[in-house]
Amino acid sequence: MEFPCGKNSNNTSQRTPKIFILVALTFIILGVIPLHHTSKWYHAKDLVNHQSKKSPTYHMEDMEIKFTEDETCDIFKGEWIPNPDGPYYTNTTCWAIHEHQNCMKYGRPDTDFLKWRWKPKGCELPIFNPYQFLDMMRNKSLAFVGDSVGRNQMQSLICLLSQAVYPIDVSTTPDENFKRWKYTSYNFTLATYWSPFLVKMKDTDSDGPTKTGLFNLYLDEVDEKWGNQIEEFDYVILNAGHWFTRCSVYYEKNQLVGCRYCELPNVTDLPSSYGYQRAIRTVLKTINNLENFKGITFLRTFAPSHFEGGEWNKGGNCVRRKPFSSNETTLEGFHLDLYTIQVEEFKAAEKESKKKGKRLRLLDTTQAMLLRPDGHPSRYGHWPNENVVLYNDCVHWCLPGPIDSWSDFLLHMLKLEGRRSHKEKLQFIKQWS
């Protein structure tokens, strides 16, 4: 059927199909748009009745990025600036904090590390608004897939959302590595899949050459624990990095190709970056090839550790008490290698994702976290006299702490997704008008 267009079409019977389609599209879009709240439509006055009783200093009057220089802003480049209003929850108001990241409980004496916020160059990034986030996540689901730093991020998000409401545990297994939480009044599901390498792995020796285990990594196969379930989610946040320093044997096409620190005879020793690059490539390729996955994938970049005075198992510690400025430190060595691999593999996968109609995004937390040597638990993850074998923790992040800013980043990116969706729908209507 041909649809008439232009000024020469006066036949009412010919115009009817087009009018019907426009009316139908209008109703569809009016029904869909509310699911994609963007900063452009969502104002603080709409939230006034929801202000958190737990955080009276929580400012909600500014829901949008404010440009201070030009009309462009890379939210991932900037500085940490003082924030007297922080934090927005405490270790006594949030039950989701893992013991080893509960720094205040275990005697951390300083609190200044809680009084900073991320300031992108050229603009102001709004502080996370739990009610806005939950409204945007209504009838949706979000999965964190990766290592314990990813779990650290999920716990941070739960704590920030606790200003509004707590979820209920709807986990299908007692395994703490695979948790599900549901915010029933929003029909929002939050899940975590512990998969430190993201690819298939087998623990072949719990001790290993360096007492941290020995793992067989199948670099061209994703971990089925999450790979078989990920299609059901609307949003997925992937991360990996720190575990690739551990002793591992690398397999591709089920053939041994080398290892890292494995000390096995006649096996080629390869750098950690070899396994990491192939693992990230496999994961992103798998996501792009999932026919039934219609969600948005965020690759969260590597968050550097801050050991000083020795390696993690040789007395290294993180004792600084304030952030670096951007000109005081640079990304280098192993951290730079991992970050470079992530960005390069992301760019290559993003090109392919666009061809397939997939949505792949980079959640770039590396620069911001490089500047926060003060935000780790260090020795404040257990009691001083406790009989535990733990090293100073300069990998994970205190809660509350700098990792809470990741939710600022995430919410802003979700707003952009809503805006993109809105523009696409308007363009679709326009082509029929």
Side-chain angles (χ1 to χ4, degrees):
M1 177 184 295
E2 292 184 1
F3 294 105
C5 60
K7 295 181 179 179
N8 296 326
S9 302
N10 295 316
N11 190 310
T12 302
S13 62
Q14 288 180 310
R15 290 164 59 91
T16 301
K18 184 177 179 180
I19 293 172
F20 175 79
I21 290 173
L22 283 173
V23 171
L25 285 172
T26 301
F27 278 110
I28 290 171
I29 288 168
L30 287 175
V32 172
I33 284 178
L35 299 180
H36 298 278
H37 296 294
T38 70
S39 58
K40 194 170 185 178
W41 313 321
Y42 205 111
H43 301 289
K45 63 184 180 181
D46 299 321
L47 302 172
V48 68
N49 294 326
H50 296 299
Q51 187 160 357
S52 171
K53 294 180 181 179
K54 295 180 181 178
S55 296
T57 57
Y58 187 83
H59 297 309
M60 296 189 290
E61 61 271 10
D62 185 2
M63 293 294 103
E64 294 189 6
I65 283 280
K66 277 189 176 180
F67 293 96
T68 57
E69 294 178 12
D70 54 41
E71 286 300 311
T72 61
C73 175
D74 182 348
I75 63 170
F76 304 119
K77 293 181 180 178
E79 303 280 354
W80 291 93
I81 65 171
N83 178 29
D85 289 343
Y88 300 99
Y89 64 91
T90 72
N91 67 311
T92 61
T93 64
C94 181
W95 50 252
I97 302 175
H98 192 285
E99 288 293 286
H100 297 159
Q101 284 89 59
N102 198 339
C103 305
M104 308 314 292
K105 174 180 177 178
Y106 291 109
R108 179 162 178 165
D110 62 307
T111 58
D112 287 347
F113 76 100
L114 302 173
K115 301 291 185 178
W116 299 89
R117 68 176 177 87
W118 181 247
K119 167 69 171 63
K121 182 180 180 181
C123 65
E124 294 283 346
L125 180 65
I127 295 294
F128 182 80
N129 184 312
Y131 295 99
Q132 187 181 29
F133 179 88
L134 287 168
D135 272 349
M136 294 175 72
M137 291 293 104
R138 194 179 295 275
N139 302 317
K140 296 186 182 298
S141 55
L142 166 64
F144 289 89
V145 181
D147 58 25
S148 54
V149 179
R151 184 171 60 222
N152 202 177
Q153 180 184 6
M154 183 200 70
Q155 291 163 343
S156 166
L157 177 59
I158 291 176
C159 287
L160 287 166
L161 293 176
S162 72
Q163 299 170 89
V165 65
Y166 276 114
I168 61 172
D169 191 339
V170 293
S171 303
T172 57
T173 170
D175 191 339
E176 291 295 316
N177 291 319
F178 305 95
K179 297 291 293 183
R180 284 194 181 221
W181 307 97
K182 188 160 188 176
Y183 293 82
T184 54
S185 56
Y186 294 89
N187 192 29
F188 168 50
T189 300
L190 191 61
T192 180
Y193 291 84
W194 187 78
S195 181
F197 296 105
L198 295 178
V199 293
K200 179 181 175 182
M201 71 94 166
K202 291 182 180 179
D203 187 349
T204 59
D205 184 348
S206 59
D207 202 16
T210 61
K211 313 300 181 184
T212 58
L214 179 64
F215 305 90
N216 287 352
L217 300 187
Y218 300 84
L219 300 176
D220 52 355
E221 300 179 51
V222 298
D223 183 355
E224 292 182 352
K225 292 184 182 70
W226 67 268
N228 291 340
Q229 299 184 41
I230 213 64
E231 288 181 320
E232 68 181 85
F233 290 92
D234 297 292
Y235 303 95
V236 178
I237 300 178
L238 301 167
N239 86 98
H242 292 285
W243 277 65
F244 282 83
T245 62
R246 301 197 178 204
C247 304
S248 303
V249 181
Y250 300 146
Y251 290 84
E252 294 179 77
K253 297 181 179 179
N254 287 317
Q255 299 296 316
L256 192 155
V257 296
C259 75
R260 184 58 173 165
Y261 302 131
C262 67
E263 299 181 7
L264 296 176
N266 303 317
V267 178
T268 303
D269 192 67
L270 297 169
S272 301
S273 56
Y274 178 92
Y276 190 65
Q277 181 179 45
R278 281 155 179 77
I280 295 297
R281 183 176 298 173
T282 293
V283 169
L284 297 181
K285 181 179 179 181
T286 299
I287 292 288
N288 277 338
N289 288 338
L290 290 175
E291 292 185 5
N292 296 323
F293 180 60
K294 308 301 180 183
I296 300 174
T297 303
F298 297 92
L299 177 63
R300 201 263 298 154
T301 62
F302 186 71
S305 59
H306 291 93
F307 290 101
E308 295 186 59
E311 297 178 15
W312 65 273
N313 57 348
K314 296 180 179 179
N317 202 354
C318 38
V319 297
R320 295 180 184 267
R321 291 295 176 259
K322 68 177 184 178
F324 288 126
S325 62
S326 59
N327 61 1
E328 286 184 290
T329 187
T330 57
L331 197 64
E332 56 189 8
F334 176 69
H335 293 168
L336 177 60
D337 290 342
L338 294 195
Y339 177 69
T340 301
I341 287 169
Q342 285 182 306
V343 173
E344 290 178 349
E345 292 300 322
F346 168 81
K347 288 180 179 178
E350 185 187 29
K351 291 180 181 179
E352 189 65 24
S353 70
K354 289 180 178 178
K355 296 177 184 177
K356 296 186 174 184
K358 303 290 185 182
R359 290 173 289 177
L360 183 61
R361 313 293 182 229
L362 193 69
L363 180 55
D364 194 344
T365 59
T366 301
Q367 176 64 21
M369 304 317 285
L370 173 67
L371 304 182
R372 291 308 305 267
D374 59 323
H376 300 288
S378 180
R379 65 180 182 274
Y380 300 109
H382 58 90
W383 298 117
N385 59 350
E386 208 171 344
N387 185 23
V388 292
V389 181
L390 290 174
Y391 298 96
N392 296 320
D393 187 351
C394 301
V395 173
H396 301 94
W397 304 91
C398 294
L399 291 176
I403 196 173
D404 294 328
S405 66
W406 296 5
S407 291
D408 300 346
F409 294 145
L410 178 60
L411 180 54
H412 174 67
M413 295 181 76
L414 292 172
K415 292 175 186 177
L416 293 181
E417 292 301 326
R419 188 173 298 170
R420 288 191 188 101
S421 177
H422 178 57
K423 287 182 179 179
E424 289 171 358
K425 290 177 177 64
L426 290 180
Q427 290 173 353
F428 187 60
I429 287 183
K430 188 175 181 181
Q431 73 178 352
W432 289 97
S433 59

